[in-house]
Amino acid sequence: MSHIDRVLLEPPMHIGRVPLGIFLILLFTLTAGAQERKGGVKGFVIDSTSGERLSLVNVTVVGKGLGAATDHNGFFFIGNIPEGTVVIRATIIGYRSMEREIRIAAGKIQSLNFALPPLPVEIEGVEQVAERRTRYETEISTQPIGQKELEIVPAIVEKDLFRTISILPGVVATSDVSSQFYVRGGGGDQNLIILDGMTIYNPFHALGIFSIFDADAVKEAEVLKGGFPAEWGNRLSSVINIRTREGNKNRFSGKVSSSLVSGKLLLEGPTPWDGSWMIAGRKSFLDDVLQKFVRSETPFDFYDLIARANHSTGENGRVSFHTLFSGDIIRPESRSEPEYLWNNRAYGISWFQVLENRYLLETTFSFSNFKGELRPRENSEIAPRVSEIDDTYFNGAVTYFRENGDQYGAGFMFRFPSYHYSFTNAANYTRDIYDKSNETGIWLKYKFKTLKPFAFEIGVRSDLFSVLSVHASDAFEPRLSVSWDIDNAHALKCAYARIHQRMITITNEDDIVSLFETWIPIPEDSPSQQADHFIVAFDGNVPKVEGVNYNIQAYLKSMTNLVEYNRDKVDASDPDFTSARGKSYGLEVFIERRHPVWYGWASYSLGYTERLVGDFHYSPRYDRRHNLNLILGFKPAVGWDVNFRWEFGSGLPFTQIMGFYDRLLFGGIFEGKGYIDEKGVPYTILGEKNRGRLPAYHRLDISVSKSFTLGMVRLFVEGSILNVYDRKNMFYFNQTTGERIDMLPLLPTLNLKVEF
């Protein structure tokens, strides 16, 4: 290993403290300057027909170069507006733009709300929206996924959030079979999955073929790939923050849909009080298509249910109740084969409120449970396995807005998970463990925006229990991001973040298909896993090409104290864990074309991922060097949608088979027959871990849909073809037989949906 490699793998303990101090001094000096006569405006943007609050709406001050975008609550805030009368414009594709005039008073924050009417899409004369997204001023690696993105990607059996996430730059999926994904060289257990404030520990159906989140029920997902702001922590690689639809506040409506795998029903409507509700359920009824994924006669059965109810607390607030249930069963007909069961249960309540036009309060309290079981039934050679985790979680945050545009944020959280896991390893050693842990955190951040064209966000996060532990250094997590608006269309950003994690899974990342993950805490006497994120980005609009945005990012992630569970532990003297270090670095390019009739999306990633365990250096299974995704969607006529996706990925690492030999068991010695004539048992000789590379992967998917309006009802018919040119993409080599196993062949699917 080179000197540079060793430097990058060493823990940068000092990084983050010096820049933090410098910028604190700079910012406090700047805020002490002269105050201009300026004010601000805040408000909400809703859909005029359903009353649902709209996210990602660009809200701008016409002619002033100022703006913001609505968050998941439909809320926006713009500060630093000169005193006087101004025009505020709200725009988003699919809705009619609206302008409102308002008088700004110095030192005050005014209220202004918008109700945007949906805009029917016509092939000619559509309204163009070409403004760069302004929602993420200082957040550097955050990508929103909404219904538009979910609809544009050809479905693999069904529309799925995780399948769409896997197309983003910096995200790697290792197979067609699983929707599991890996972000910027991090493991699968380094992704934090949040649904309406509830932590979800196993978000997969049917061996991971797709997620438990019904795409019709998802309003938006924020994908944070690095450089997290201070309010996020506890996972090294990513945060997937999913929000469900609020429900139609004005009338009862619904959707009924069916695929070749399952049936779905979504209902929504107003409540007797000032609020709305939504419930979405899905149940499998055919498994022929799923059996093609796993290439065996394996009977599947699964369901999921997501529900939400909201109650308005005045014009500026809302209380919401959330719940999620899901379950999976794999039960072969032969009782000599084991059965697998796993399920999720989650409940939560959240409160959002704006007070005195200056304070934004958000709180969440939730409980979640995951339990997975392997039951041997009549197979005495298989040991039972259990994995269960209960999680109680609370989070509170407050943001204070100043009329000059600055924002102060603070919050705290606590999480008390309890674990039960039981399994027998290869040495026939049984582990049956009950354990508990706790995670607490407090965070502060300050967003400074008055030094135009620069914006700064400085934050710090701390685990309170770590302060009193032997690893007090774990309690310090500095966060820093800087944005420079070169002009109204281009920005340069950079960010640094330190993050810790004290939960891992004992699932082996080398497993081809993992049924469920077993979560366990890191021992109290062990240091936390740590990652330092360094990111530089350049984004903006493509010059002279209306409606096209781009984003280019370079990143380095240095990881220390990585913990891997020792699944081959035999006795008490063997270590429970092994320690590793690692790094990942790369370049990402994302180009997007947003238009009511045409939609284009191109993402490219160049990535390197390395691990070091003692003196052993290797690349993990998800180390993909090149990854390219091209998405194109268009409407050739009213009611028609045609979508294409082409993907290319360079070969993934794998452990090569060097040969076979017949291993003698010497059973004849004890039977008196000797062992000269014993044939032995075939045994595989493997090469060095992950030194080989699979062939390159590529495929083309196409979907075509047509909508019909029949009175108050709309009917949608969608046909998809996966792997159009039937590319033989290699999945893995069977290490027992040496047989090559390929991924999915050409696979047509059909979906029907009725909206009313």
Side-chain angles (χ1 to χ4, degrees):
M1 184 171 58
S2 69
H3 172 71
I4 294 177
D5 288 338
R6 293 188 180 275
V7 170
L8 290 174
L9 285 168
E10 291 296 329
M13 299 299 295
H14 64 285
I15 298 177
R17 300 180 184 178
V18 174
L20 181 63
I22 293 174
F23 275 101
L24 281 173
I25 295 172
L26 173 64
L27 294 184
F28 281 117
T29 302
L30 292 170
T31 55
Q35 299 295 317
E36 298 184 52
R37 297 184 61 80
K38 296 184 178 182
V41 60
K42 64 87 183 172
F44 296 89
V45 182
I46 66 171
D47 183 311
S48 63
T49 59
S50 68
E52 185 154 0
R53 299 184 179 186
L54 299 176
S55 61
L56 293 174
V57 179
N58 279 340
V59 184
T60 56
V61 184
V62 178
K64 302 295 184 181
L66 301 171
T70 55
D71 63 12
H72 59 269
N73 290 300
F75 176 78
F76 71 91
F77 167 74
I78 306 173
N80 208 32
I81 306 174
E83 183 179 26
T85 301
V86 297
V87 175
I88 309 294
R89 176 190 296 148
T91 57
I92 185 174
I93 288 179
Y95 289 83
R96 191 174 301 280
S97 298
M98 182 176 292
E99 294 184 351
R100 300 274 302 275
E101 191 174 82
I102 188 172
R103 180 165 182 79
I104 301 299
K108 294 184 178 181
I109 298 176
Q110 310 287 354
S111 293
L112 183 65
N113 299 326
F114 292 89
L116 301 184
L119 183 66
V121 176
E122 303 292 345
I123 301 305
E124 301 294 337
V126 296
E127 184 173 354
Q128 175 69 285
V129 179
E131 295 170 338
R132 181 166 61 95
R133 286 179 176 175
T134 53
R135 175 164 168 180
Y136 306 107
E137 295 171 296
T138 52
E139 291 86 343
I140 196 167
S141 292
T142 302
Q143 175 73 44
I145 298 292
Q147 279 296 318
K148 181 67 176 178
E149 287 76 15
L150 291 173
E151 293 171 0
I152 204 71
V153 179
I156 301 181
V157 183
E158 294 183 359
K159 301 290 186 185
D160 186 70
L161 172 62
F162 285 2
R163 296 283 181 178
T164 303
I165 289 174
S166 68
I167 301 175
L168 297 177
V171 181
V172 172
T174 57
S175 75
D176 295 336
V177 173
S178 175
S179 59
Q180 175 68 277
F181 58 89
Y182 307 89
V183 179
R184 289 182 175 175
D189 60 357
Q190 295 177 10
N191 303 319
L192 177 62
I193 311 297
I194 300 289
L195 176 71
D196 290 329
M198 304 176 294
T199 305
I200 308 301
Y201 286 92
N202 192 302
F204 302 104
H205 270 316
L207 301 179
I209 294 174
F210 42 78
S211 73
I212 62 176
F213 309 119
D214 181 359
D216 289 336
V218 173
K219 175 183 178 180
E220 180 192 24
E222 286 182 315
V223 182
L224 288 77
K225 298 183 295 181
F228 310 153
E231 57 264 39
W232 294 110
N234 306 109
R235 293 293 188 278
L236 299 187
S237 292
S238 77
V239 177
I240 314 299
N241 187 21
I242 307 168
R243 302 284 180 173
T244 57
R245 293 178 53 175
E246 300 165 19
N248 194 319
K249 194 175 181 180
N250 297 331
R251 69 178 183 88
F252 175 77
S253 62
K255 299 180 181 179
V256 181
S257 58
S258 174
S259 70
L260 297 180
V261 172
S262 70
K264 301 193 296 182
L265 173 65
L266 184 147
L267 301 174
E268 58 186 339
T271 59
W273 55 89
D274 184 15
S276 61
W277 60 272
M278 183 277 297
I279 182 169
R282 175 170 50 175
K283 178 71 173 67
S284 62
F285 54 75
L286 292 175
D287 58 13
D288 293 343
V289 174
L290 296 184
Q291 290 178 14
K292 293 182 180 180
F293 278 74
V294 296
R295 297 182 178 275
S296 66
E297 296 296 324
T298 305
F300 291 87
D301 188 20
F302 65 85
Y303 73 90
D304 56 65
L305 179 71
I306 296 175
R308 173 173 182 167
N310 312 289
H311 174 61
S312 296
T313 55
E315 180 185 357
N316 296 323
R318 179 185 60 206
V319 174
S320 299
F321 303 88
H322 317 273
T323 190
L324 165 73
F325 299 92
S326 75
D328 285 74
I329 299 176
I330 300 177
R331 182 174 291 144
E333 294 182 3
S334 173
R335 295 192 59 81
S336 63
E337 298 183 49
E339 66 179 10
Y340 303 87
L341 303 90
W342 64 98
N343 59 72
N344 290 279
R345 294 182 294 116
Y347 315 88
I349 181 173
S350 59
W351 177 44
F352 167 86
Q353 190 74 43
V354 178
L355 300 174
E356 299 181 1
N357 286 350
R358 291 180 177 271
Y359 298 90
L360 188 155
L361 305 179
E362 291 187 274
T363 61
T364 299
F365 179 79
S366 68
F367 169 81
S368 61
N369 166 270
F370 163 73
K371 184 175 183 179
E373 293 184 80
L374 182 157
R375 297 177 180 175
R377 296 202 288 180
E378 297 178 1
N379 191 328
S380 59
E381 297 182 359
I382 298 179
R385 178 177 173 183
V386 175
S387 172
E388 185 172 12
I389 181 169
D390 291 312
D391 186 301
T392 301
Y393 173 74
F394 178 82
N395 182 70
V398 59
T399 303
Y400 172 71
F401 300 95
R402 295 183 61 189
E403 60 276 0
N404 65 0
D406 289 2
Q407 300 175 25
Y408 301 88
F412 67 95
M413 59 78 69
F414 63 78
R415 173 179 282 118
F416 300 115
S418 60
Y419 314 82
H420 173 217
Y421 51 99
S422 174
F423 67 96
T424 301
N425 65 14
N428 204 33
Y429 183 80
T430 299
R431 305 278 287 167
D432 190 8
I433 304 296
Y434 291 86
D435 205 347
K436 292 183 178 181
S437 67
N438 54 68
E439 296 179 4
T440 64
I442 185 170
W443 58 269
L444 303 167
K445 72 175 184 179
Y446 173 44
K447 182 179 289 188
F448 177 77
K449 299 170 59 178
T450 54
L451 188 64
K452 290 292 184 180
F454 296 97
F456 304 87
E457 184 172 309
I458 294 178
V460 64
R461 184 183 179 91
S462 176
D463 185 328
L464 299 181
F465 281 100
S466 295
V467 175
L468 304 177
S469 74
V470 294
H471 304 289
S473 60
D474 291 355
F476 181 63
E477 295 187 1
R479 312 290 171 87
L480 171 65
S481 60
V482 181
S483 175
W484 171 30
D485 287 335
I486 301 172
D487 54 36
N488 289 336
H490 303 87
L492 178 65
K493 300 178 181 179
C494 60
Y496 165 76
R498 170 167 289 180
I499 300 139
H500 295 106
Q501 179 175 334
R502 296 202 61 81
M503 297 175 65
I504 63 170
T505 65
I506 63 173
T507 302
N508 191 341
E509 297 286 6
D510 293 329
D511 292 341
I512 299 299
V513 176
S514 177
L515 286 172
F516 49 79
E517 296 182 324
T518 302
W519 289 90
I520 60 173
I522 294 176
E524 294 183 359
D525 58 351
S526 298
S528 299
Q529 296 186 118
Q530 178 176 295
D532 288 278
H533 297 200
F534 305 85
I535 309 169
V536 177
F538 187 61
D539 65 31
N541 297 334
V542 175
K544 299 181 180 180
V545 183
E546 193 172 19
V548 179
N549 303 321
Y550 70 90
N551 183 282
I552 302 172
Q553 297 193 24
Y555 68 90
L556 166 66
K557 180 162 59 178
S558 175
M559 295 170 281
T560 55
N561 304 325
L562 296 178
V563 176
E564 297 180 4
Y565 190 78
N566 183 7
R567 299 199 302 179
D568 296 325
K569 177 184 174 72
V570 176
D571 56 42
S573 63
D574 292 332
D576 288 318
F577 302 91
T578 58
S579 180
R581 290 181 290 164
K583 72 172 185 290
S584 62
Y585 55 95
L587 178 70
E588 301 170 3
V589 179
F590 181 78
I591 302 175
E592 182 184 36
R593 162 70 159 163
R594 301 182 67 84
H595 186 278
V597 175
W598 293 88
Y599 185 92
W601 180 353
S603 70
Y604 168 74
S605 303
L606 171 65
Y608 296 82
T609 302
E610 301 174 16
R611 291 287 185 274
L612 184 64
V613 182
D615 294 328
F616 179 59
H617 184 269
Y618 72 98
S619 298
R621 184 169 61 91
Y622 41 85
D623 175 38
R624 171 161 275 165
R625 194 70 63 242
H626 303 279
N627 203 21
L628 174 66
N629 275 279
L630 302 176
I631 303 291
L632 175 63
F634 69 97
K635 301 177 183 294
V638 175
W640 285 91
D641 284 276
V642 181
N643 301 315
F644 299 87
R645 174 199 176 188
W646 186 75
E647 179 182 4
F648 171 85
S650 57
L652 294 167
F654 79 106
T655 302
Q656 296 166 301
I657 298 174
M658 307 304 294
F660 298 90
Y661 74 93
D662 290 332
R663 183 170 61 176
L664 300 181
L665 301 179
F666 301 104
I669 294 178
F670 303 100
E671 298 174 1
K673 300 178 180 179
Y675 59 87
I676 296 177
D677 296 329
E678 185 178 347
K679 295 181 179 180
V681 177
Y683 192 78
T684 306
I685 304 173
L686 298 178
E688 194 170 352
K689 181 181 176 65
N690 289 347
R691 288 302 183 187
R693 291 272 173 174
L694 296 175
Y697 171 100
H698 58 85
R699 77 166 198 258
L700 173 67
D701 303 336
I702 299 176
S703 69
V704 179
S705 67
K706 178 69 171 75
S707 64
F708 305 88
T709 301
L710 305 173
M712 298 294 293
V713 175
R714 294 189 69 192
L715 172 65
F716 296 82
V717 180
E718 180 182 27
S720 299
I721 301 178
L722 172 71
N723 196 2
V724 172
Y725 50 82
D726 199 20
R727 161 73 176 180
K728 306 300 182 184
N729 289 305
M730 184 176 171
F731 191 7
Y732 64 95
F733 280 113
N734 186 315
Q735 293 185 349
T736 302
T737 65
E739 178 187 6
R740 168 176 168 155
I741 306 298
D742 289 332
M743 297 193 203
L744 291 178
L746 183 148
L747 179 64
T749 61
L750 180 67
N751 294 273
L752 303 175
K753 180 169 65 175
V754 178
E755 292 185 358
F756 55 90

